[in-house]
Amino acid sequence: MKIRCLPLILLIISTTRAASLCDDLDAAPSDQHTGNTPVVLVSQDGGPVAGRYPPNPFSPDVSNPNGSYGPSMSYVYGMMPRIVVKTGESAPQKTENYAHYEPNPVQRVSDVPVSTFSIDVDSGSYSNVRRMIAREGRLPPADAVRTEEILNYFNYDYPPPQDGKPFAIYTQIVDSPWKRHDKLLRIAIRAADLAPEKRPPANLVFLIDTSATMDAPDKLPLVKKTVCHFAEALRADDRITLIAFSDDVRELLPPTFGDQKEKIVAALKPLRPHGMAAGADALHLAYQAVREHYQEDGINRILLASDGDFNRGISNLELRWYIGDQRGNHIGLTILGFGTGNYNDALLETLADKADNGSYHYIDSEAEAKKVLVRQLTPTLTTIARDVKIRVEFNPETVKEYRLVGYENRLLHEDYYDNDDENAGDIGAGGSVTALYAITPQEKPYWGVASRYQQPLAGDKANEYGWLNLRYKDADDGERQPLEQPVMASSIPLEDADASTRLAIAAASYAQALKDSEQNGALDWAGILRLAQSAKGEDPHGERAGLIALIEKAQSLSAGK
């Protein structure tokens, strides 16, 4: 009997251990600062740089006639007696920062027949907006709402490709609930799956913002929980380096294998917020650390957890340039945003866009941390295609006008589609991307002012609304690969659409309503709610129920404006 119970006893012990690993992350530190391995700067000849504190690698090099940033030095790691660094004054809180993009206009096919854009797998806007509506009881500012990030937050259960290709492409056209006679074209891309055990080993650097502005329950304490849950999901052949930054940049943990979870978590416990945020220095060091332990056939990625309030070092513009210069090194960058009040969404989202294989998420809860870094670990870490671009050529015989829903900051010039030097978004194994176009078929009323001389063209292409092109680089060999297929001129009633299409339209309608735009036409909050409820279907993680609750809350808040 005892022998038979032994596996159960071991299972209970194992489960208890796993459950308790992230429970107590607030052990008292030995002093204000941590960091067993401070950063050391050395010159190119190997000699140490004089001075008590490392110089800013982004300080202007006045001896350089080209005016470039940074001395001719490189970061290296080394053991030396830990020093107590000077604590700076934290910057005063300011309002949250969001970039503004004009909504996509309606385009006439006779004038602009081709629409080109980069894919976007970010989801930060959805959870950030959720924080404002559900926790703070207020409607978000319009610029905080990026429709494509709300659209792509959900798991749509698209079938994976069955033909050996890295992608499957699905389209469906339905009657629009926004405008009578119009149609909505849903484009869905589903990447091939990769079994977790087949994922390449990962070389990871986790950057943790410990500046004074991170002193809030939804900032540093939640960051520590996030890193802990991420550590729980790592495999034994993964390696992770932990680096913290405030006034200084400190290596908390040298490269450590993923099965040493207690050691990883122990490095988090003494962290306390203090000082200013040298985010640029930290990112520079993180790229150096990844390169030092680069895995040729593995995953190389930086994860940054911050509120984006980088108040020490170079300007944000110069930081964007630096991140953009790292493209082509095959070092990914995952941005994890935290907190409120001084939150710099504009910077963090832009850094992810500029990076090689960048992605941007906002973490408002432990559940969201587990979604991004545990449940979606493989697509978060593993890239199967780079620089994925979509081009839709609309048929002027069948389509009069169109509008791309969202993706305002992902639009590409038509000439960029075939230009391999122009960057675009990447997609991970098992990931998906959804896009919507609102289209007005020929012989239907214009959105705008009709032209006297614009008439439908004659021809034999009346069975196609357009031609869909997708172009990407293979993640392994960098070879360009095209995929293409027609978009047939046939549609179905919205109520007959599959649940994924109805969910996508409900999510886009929710985003457009939050932006207080007129693009939803006659579809009001009650109609958006009914549409979302009709698409709930199987919902194992409660994501669709969460959208329904947000629509109900937003409807109530809108009524009280």
Side-chain angles (χ1 to χ4, degrees), residues 178-343:
W178 302 337
K179 186 172 183 288
R180 189 182 178 191
H181 303 304
D182 273 16
K183 310 292 181 183
L184 290 180
L185 163 62
R186 186 216 67 193
I187 300 172
I189 300 170
R190 172 63 154 81
D193 288 324
L194 180 68
E197 65 272 13
K198 293 184 178 180
R199 172 178 64 79
N203 166 35
L204 306 165
V205 173
F206 216 121
L207 279 181
I208 303 172
D209 185 348
T210 60
S211 65
T213 65
M214 296 293 287
D215 188 10
D218 59 351
K219 292 190 176 184
L220 187 55
L222 183 55
V223 170
K224 292 160 73 172
K225 292 277 189 180
T226 298
V227 180
C228 182
H229 290 305
F230 181 61
E232 287 183 315
L234 295 179
R235 292 195 323 228
D237 57 350
D238 297 325
R239 286 187 300 184
I240 184 171
T241 301
L242 299 182
I243 297 175
F245 66 95
S246 52
D247 292 313
D248 62 328
V249 183
R250 312 179 305 284
E251 184 189 69
L252 301 174
L253 185 74
T256 300
F257 283 108
D259 58 351
Q260 300 182 46
K261 302 185 189 304
E262 290 85 356
K263 184 177 180 181
I264 298 169
V265 173
L268 300 171
K269 290 185 177 183
L271 293 179
R272 295 294 184 272
H274 64 279
M276 303 182 79
D281 289 0
L283 280 163
H284 183 276
L285 178 58
Y287 276 104
Q288 182 72 16
V290 173
R291 284 191 290 266
E292 185 174 336
H293 302 281
Y294 193 85
Q295 295 245 12
E296 286 295 339
D297 298 319
I299 296 166
N300 298 278
R301 178 169 290 273
I302 298 165
L303 300 98
L304 168 65
S306 175
D307 59 13
D309 191 359
F310 298 164
N311 47 28
R312 177 169 181 168
I314 64 171
S315 71
N316 290 341
L317 178 61
E318 291 161 331
L319 179 56
R320 293 185 186 105
W321 291 341
Y322 171 74
I323 295 298
D325 288 343
Q326 306 311 305
R327 290 195 70 100
N329 293 332
H330 300 310
I331 298 174
L333 177 63
T334 296
I335 303 288
L336 304 172
F338 290 82
T340 65
N342 63 329
Y343 187 62

Side-chain angles (χ1 to χ4, degrees), residues 483-506:
L483 295 174
E484 57 184 20
Q485 65 183 51
V487 179
M488 305 310 296
S490 62
S491 65
I492 59 175
L494 178 59
E495 57 267 23
D496 294 338
D498 60 45
S500 293
T501 296
R502 283 180 277 123
L503 176 63
I505 295 172

